[in-house]
Amino acid sequence: MAHAQELILEPANQRPADACVILLHGLGADGHDFEPLVPALGLDDALAVRFVLPHAPQLPVTINGGTPMPAWYDILEMNLGRRVDVAQLRASAERVHALIDAQIEAGIDSRRIVIAGFSQGGAVAYEAALSYTQPLGGLLALSTYYATADSIELAEANRALPVEVHHGTADPVVPESLGREGAERAEAQGYPINYRTYEMGHSLCPEQAGDIAKWLASRLG
């Protein structure tokens, strides 16, 4: 049987969804990685949010000796600039665009669709959300970096998209300085940025889940 390309979690109260969060996992994980986050958010049932958790394809990853693993794009070297395969990153962003299109076709207003991503998934989320040609509800960038800041084609429809950026102060994988730099780059491009840090490594924490829930309620309520 074919493996579904994404995990879809419908609203818990059986109401038809009228909002959607597309959430991209990090390197080496899959869509199930963030499945426990959804109930942990404790969103109000009235929000009726569908969560779409895509699975990355298997790609050889240079920094891991070319070993194939779930990846949105290849990472070419472990330096602060995070040299990445931009063509693969853009292909993953196009896949996110197709997922957004599918939600719109299913009857969800584009302004009630939030794009979110963790680590590698966050770099794709930056590219996907800020280049999408219909207005979205928000961008949530978690423990990540803005890999395509120099080359992205920014879409006019999302020039005022609210961007929520979270990072751990003790992140050994994506240094907090890189997350802050990404937020500053986006702010310099004119986006309204809210930047938060947490005393944690390359992960999520309970306090952060509460902040994500409040932010989603503000965007989708």
Side-chain angles (χ1 to χ4, degrees):
M1 193 166 92
H3 180 55
Q5 288 191 301
E6 56 272 336
L7 174 65
I8 298 177
L9 304 176
E10 296 292 351
N13 57 359
Q14 309 300 310
R15 288 186 56 204
D18 71 357
C20 179
V21 175
I22 299 173
L23 174 55
L24 283 72
H25 62 75
L27 179 68
D30 67 13
H32 293 283
D33 199 39
F34 281 103
E35 195 173 358
L37 175 64
V38 176
L41 291 174
L43 293 178
D44 189 328
D45 284 347
L47 289 176
V49 181
R50 171 185 295 131
F51 282 82
V52 176
L53 309 175
H55 307 301
Q58 292 278 333
L59 296 174
V61 176
T62 301
I63 58 161
N64 290 337
T67 306
M69 62 183 61
W72 299 109
Y73 53 85
D74 190 14
I75 298 175
L76 305 171
E77 55 186 56
M78 281 301 286
N79 65 0
L80 281 187
R82 307 290 286 203
R83 277 210 319 126
V84 305
D85 188 315
V86 173
Q88 288 177 342
L89 190 156
R90 290 233 153 85
S92 290
E94 288 295 326
R95 182 173 156 200
V96 175
H97 288 173
L99 290 171
I100 300 169
D101 293 343
Q103 293 303 313
I104 294 169
E105 283 165 24
I108 293 185
D109 187 317
S110 69
R111 290 163 297 189
R112 294 183 60 70
I113 299 174
V114 166
I115 308 304
F118 177 82
S119 194
Q120 208 193 35
V124 175
Y126 265 117
E127 171 73 25
L130 302 185
S131 67
Y132 191 69
T133 56
Q134 295 186 59
L136 294 167
L139 166 62
L140 176 61
L142 305 170
S143 302
T144 190
Y145 51 101
Y146 188 2
T148 54
D150 288 331
S151 58
I152 188 171
E153 290 187 28
L154 300 170
E156 283 306 312
N158 283 301
R159 289 295 303 192
L161 188 70
V163 182
E164 179 86 357
V165 183
H166 294 182
H167 219 105
T169 53
D171 191 330
V173 178
V174 179
E176 195 247 322
S177 58
L178 211 52
R180 187 176 294 278
E181 180 192 330
E184 288 169 354
R185 295 293 295 278
E187 192 167 51
Q189 290 171 334
Y191 295 96
I193 305 291
N194 187 46
Y195 186 81
R196 296 178 191 266
T197 57
Y198 302 88
E199 290 182 15
M200 63 178 184
H202 195 60
S203 61
L204 296 180
C205 65
E207 179 195 353
Q208 183 184 14
D211 289 336
I212 291 170
K214 285 193 201 112
W215 182 76
L216 286 175
S218 76
R219 298 311 312 148
L220 303 174

